[in-house]
Amino acid sequence: MTPEAEGIQKEPEAVSYNALTPKEQKQRLTELAITFLRLGTIAFGGPAAHIAMMDNEVVNRYRWMSREKLLDLLGITNLIPGPNSTELAIHIGYERGGWRGLVIAGSCFILPAMLIVWALAAIYTRYQTVPQVEWLLYGIKPVIIAIVLQALWNLGKKAAKDWPTRIAAVVAIAAYFAGLNEILLLILLGIAVMVVKNWQSRRHTTGALLLPFSGILAQVGSTTAAVTSISWVSVFLFFLKIGCVLYGSGYVLLAFLQRDLVERNQWLTSQQLLDAVAIGQLTPGPVFTTATFIGYLLAGHAGAIAGTIGIFLPAFALVWVINPWVSKLRQSPWASGFLDGVNAASMGLMAGVTYTLGRAALVDWVTIIVAIVSAIAVFRFKINSAWLVLAGGAIGLGSHLLGFVNS
């Protein structure tokens, strides 16, 4: 379905939300809600896949902003705590619709995953098992690889635009496989590119560089308080703390939760925690909806809501505070060089993640064929990722029922 058929008009460049008429403002907010509800429903595959889908929707399909702008927003999300892809959705919403767009885009991206995980948590508490959906992901994962590769190609051409940024991207790939700290790597490569690009320049623009370190200082200074009772308030406060200080992937989240929920507070068993993280990985949308599952186990329906709000609330607040500074960062040659380095390093890390995902997704001849056909579909025919995800799920189910793959 074309954007025009959905009632969404393409725009070559974003017009300020405040300059629009009330009717146009309402239309923009509706567009954000529809787009991110759809993405939240079909965005399997983790942050790299989410970013790829947003790039396809926001830059290619609707032309809400330039790819350079999207890269800058992505670079900022890598330097603050919280879920990167969700924060990118919130940034896009803020750019399109001010604080109202910020709330709508972020909430709509989170809501489908929250409801799915909430329902699965209710089933889990009754049957003490995780529903088997491997056959669905079997067909979806190779599709995701093709979608991520397209985003890497499009974003990489913009990020690796000169020798300093290309070298930074290569170093980031090597560092990813060496297991180095991602945040430290982003900052060091950002500084390196900044220095190289401004080596011959005598302009000294200060400020702006303190921004990336604010979240790190918050992480260093955080402490974990033991909670004496498991109420929805306790669940909210626990996940609010996690949302304020957590960098990295779902695996980092697992480490946090294992230490606090299992070992220190003994709220969950290790098996319950692994099941919760598995549900977050297997469902579409943000992996951090693991908090919804755990919240339900600890405090029922109120706990599910409290856990979700707690872990995502800091992301909304951070984006609201930081977004107005993005354009100012680009005006400074030093900050602009730093952001170029972070963007290139982010693409290098994304390439490393794609390789890891590919090894897990391409396991036999069926998945390899699905990945190749999907790559042709996205690169040559520009087919919307939603249809490809649905087709991949159908192929996975069909292969399972027809006996092409083992149960």
Side-chain angles (χ1 to χ4, degrees):
M1 183 178 291
T2 63
E4 290 77 7
E6 295 181 24
I8 302 177
Q9 297 179 348
K10 287 189 175 184
E11 298 181 23
E13 287 294 337
V15 179
S16 172
Y17 175 76
N18 293 328
L20 301 175
T21 65
K23 182 179 179 180
E24 290 172 330
Q25 290 179 345
K26 183 178 180 181
Q27 179 183 2
R28 229 185 229 198
L29 297 178
T30 302
E31 293 168 359
L32 283 170
I34 293 172
T35 300
F36 282 100
L37 274 173
R38 181 172 66 249
L39 286 175
T41 304
I42 57 98
F44 290 88
H50 303 167
I51 292 165
M53 292 181 181
M54 289 181 201
D55 171 71
N56 184 53
E57 294 286 313
V58 173
V59 178
N60 292 340
R61 194 175 187 205
Y62 299 137
R63 298 197 301 172
W64 285 348
M65 63 180 61
S66 66
R67 185 160 281 117
E68 290 87 348
K69 180 69 172 180
L70 187 72
L71 269 172
D72 286 346
L73 297 178
L74 177 60
I76 293 297
T77 67
N78 281 301
L79 296 175
I80 59 177
N84 291 3
S85 58
T86 304
E87 287 172 341
L88 183 59
I90 297 170
H91 270 297
I92 294 168
Y94 189 88
E95 292 285 335
R96 291 288 295 170
W99 69 267
R100 293 178 181 85
L102 174 149
V103 173
I104 288 174
S107 299
C108 288
F109 184 63
I110 296 166
L111 183 62
M114 174 192 174
L115 295 177
I116 294 170
V117 172
W118 193 345
L120 291 176
I123 296 172
Y124 179 86
T125 55
R126 180 163 184 169
Y127 299 105
Q128 289 301 304
T129 185
V130 178
Q132 300 299 309
V133 293
E134 286 83 359
W135 53 264
L136 181 67
L137 293 178
Y138 171 81
I140 290 176
K141 284 180 179 179
V143 173
I144 295 300
I145 298 302
I147 294 171
V148 173
L149 284 174
Q150 184 198 35
L152 262 178
W153 175 256
N154 291 332
L155 293 171
K157 288 189 296 184
K158 298 293 184 181
K161 54 190 176 182
D162 49 33
W163 282 112
T165 51
R166 289 168 193 155
I167 292 173
V170 172
V171 171
I173 294 173
Y176 170 82
F177 289 110
L180 299 183
N181 182 275
E182 296 176 355
I183 301 302
L184 180 61
L185 178 67
L186 289 168
I187 292 174
L188 290 179
L189 288 178
I191 293 174
V193 173
M194 174 189 69
V195 171
V196 170
K197 284 195 167 192
N198 289 274
W199 186 260
Q200 295 178 338
S201 173
R202 302 304 178 188
R203 292 173 295 177
H204 300 281
T205 305
T206 59
L209 292 181
L210 294 177
L211 179 62
F213 298 98
S214 59
I216 296 174
L217 293 175
Q219 185 176 19
V220 172
S222 66
T223 58
T224 303
V227 183
T228 56
S229 62
I230 309 177
S231 65
W232 69 265
V233 175
S234 301
V235 172
F236 171 78
L237 293 176
F238 173 77
F239 281 108
L240 181 67
K241 180 207 70 176
I242 295 292
C244 285
V245 303
L246 183 65
Y247 283 90
S249 67
Y251 299 108
V252 181
L253 176 65
L254 175 61
F256 266 72
L257 298 180
Q258 171 70 25
R259 184 178 65 246
D260 288 350
L261 292 180
V262 178
E263 298 173 6
R264 184 168 298 164
N265 294 329
Q266 297 183 342
W267 287 356
L268 297 178
T269 65
S270 292
Q271 185 59 52
Q272 286 176 317
L273 177 58
L274 288 173
D275 289 343
V277 173
I279 287 291
Q281 295 279 355
L282 294 176
T283 50
V287 176
F288 278 30
T289 48
T290 295
T292 308
F293 190 93
I294 293 173
Y296 185 90
L297 295 186
L298 296 178
H301 295 300
I305 296 172
T308 307
I309 294 175
I311 202 166
F312 286 109
L313 185 61
F316 285 88
L318 283 168
V319 171
W320 179 67
V321 171
I322 290 171
N323 183 275
W325 291 90
V326 176
S327 60
K328 294 181 175 62
L329 290 174
R330 272 296 172 201
Q331 295 171 8
S332 161
W334 288 92
S336 180
F338 179 81
L339 197 53
D340 283 342
V342 170
N343 288 343
S346 298
M347 290 302 101
L349 293 175
M350 191 171 172
V353 170
T354 303
Y355 174 79
T356 303
L357 292 174
R359 292 188 62 184
L362 307 180
V363 294
D364 54 28
W365 66 270
V366 175
T367 51
I368 292 173
I369 291 175
V370 170
I372 293 173
V373 173
S374 299
I376 294 172
V378 295
F379 278 96
R380 178 66 179 86
F381 299 104
K382 313 296 183 184
I383 295 177
N384 185 268
S385 56
W387 297 114
L388 292 176
V389 169
L390 292 174
I395 292 171
L397 174 59
S399 299
H400 172 74
L401 295 178
L402 295 174
F404 292 145
V405 293
N406 295 325
S407 301

